[in-house]
Amino acid sequence: GVDCGADSRMCCRQEFFVDFKEIGWEDWIIHPEGYHMNYCAGLCPLHVASIPGLAASFHTAVLNRIKAASAAAAVGSCCVPTQRRPLSLLYYDRDSNIVKTDIPDMIVDSCGCT
Amino acid sequence: AAEAAWCPACGVAASAPGTQRDALLALAKQSILAKLRLPARPKVPQPPSRGALLTALRMMRAQRWDTAAAFPGMLRDGRGPLRPEMGLQEYEILSFAESGSSTSHSVRLHFRFSQEVAGTTEILQATLYLFWAAPSRGAQPITVRLLQPDPAGPNMTVASETQLEVQRSGWTTLDIGAAVQSLFGQETPRLTVELEVPEDWESPLPSNHSDSHWPFVVAQAQARTPHRVHRR
């Protein structure tokens, strides 16, 4: 996958960190200090469609040219997460019990085109 | 329109950075609360004392080492270690006792569980940790009763009763998984533990009730497996 730069236009992963102190949640969330709510953004033109991330290889380049030339039905291709991992939280619930849980698929590690 | 096209997948309309940041922060809050099944963030908690917390964590770690030593690679009921990637969210809950009513020869302790967790999970294991004071003479008989709110009325029903003999001061653990499981299906998931001793015996709990000997419950729960929708 590719991380977004300042002027990325193609499909990439945009990092976005939520500091629990900034949103006033540090009193009930014991750990971690924040949440990496990364998301996928960018264009998925036809010639990179269905390639997770931007594979840069000779074969891919040829395949891309064929796709671009084929002008197949330009079905929309979307920039979506291709790899995610759990968010482990340690927090106080409403009865001040201490709860630890791993929420599956909460952190996006990489993006690609459908 | 061109800007909006720039970010079709993230669902946040391309807008001024400040507004976009606020929208993303709101999205993060909403996403975490939804996954924790919380309607809103909990009120400011009353954390347990440092002594009680350190003791509980030490006891939990010791318990885990014992389990791991007895069944390497296995978890409590013989299944392989579950991982969140399997999509089943697991919870570990540490609940400290609240003092309830007491008489000259009985003490009640309350443990509350949040409806959000109780209503959507099944209990894998639950252990009650009690610290006994040194008996003044010989082995002290103690009855440990687990009481639950009676769904049909204001009284309490006895979920289980255990007779113990305390020879000396120290920690004891009791498996309360079945009682907590049946509790999880109720409106107010609150467990009451009643400790009763014969008339002329003193309370089995340390009189100074130092924080680091405060009773607590450790429970492991797992989100109920969603019913499988088979696509043909």
Side-chain angles (χ1 to χ4, degrees), chain B residues 203-221:
Chain B
S203 166
L205 296 177
S207 52
N208 64 351
H209 238 330
S210 73
D211 282 338
S212 53
H213 292 146
W214 192 241
F216 62 93
V217 164
V218 176
Q220 273 97 23

Side-chain angles (χ1 to χ4, degrees), chain B residues 148-228:
Chain B
Q148 296 178 356
D150 181 345
N155 304 320
M156 305 283 275
T157 57
V158 178
S160 80
E161 183 169 299
T162 309
Q163 308 294 338
L164 296 176
E165 283 224 335
V166 174
Q167 313 280 347
R168 61 186 167 285
S169 171
W171 284 100
T172 264
T173 59
L174 233 60
D175 179 353
I176 59 171
V180 177
Q181 179 57 53
S182 67
L183 200 67
F184 266 31
Q186 296 191 12
E187 191 64 34
T188 46
R190 185 182 81 163
L191 175 72
T192 298
V193 177
E194 182 177 73
L195 308 174
E196 187 177 38
V197 295
E199 274 299 339
D200 53 350
W201 286 84
E202 66 284 342
S203 166
L205 296 177
S207 52
N208 64 351
H209 238 330
S210 73
D211 282 338
S212 53
H213 292 146
W214 192 241
F216 62 93
V217 164
V218 176
Q220 273 97 23
Q222 175 185 308
R224 286 202 197 104
T225 42
H227 59 283
R228 294 264 170 255

Side-chain angles (χ1 to χ4, degrees), chain B residues 90-168:
Chain B
E90 279 208 357
Y91 295 83
E92 201 155 8
I93 305 158
L94 174 54
S95 181
F96 288 93
E98 284 174 23
S99 294
S101 58
S102 62
T103 65
S104 59
H105 62 284
S106 73
V107 171
R108 281 193 172 185
L109 304 167
H110 301 302
F111 296 91
R112 296 173 190 279
F113 298 96
S114 68
Q115 188 51 30
E116 290 78 33
V117 175
T120 58
T121 59
E122 55 188 359
I123 280 290
L124 300 173
Q125 180 182 11
T127 306
L128 168 64
Y129 289 75
L130 290 163
F131 186 87
W132 301 128
S136 52
R137 47 190 160 85
Q140 177 173 8
I142 297 180
T143 303
V144 182
R145 273 188 208 93
L146 302 183
L147 308 174
Q148 296 178 356
D150 181 345
N155 304 320
M156 305 283 275
T157 57
V158 178
S160 80
E161 183 169 299
T162 309
Q163 308 294 338
L164 296 176
E165 283 224 335
V166 174
Q167 313 280 347
R168 61 186 167 285

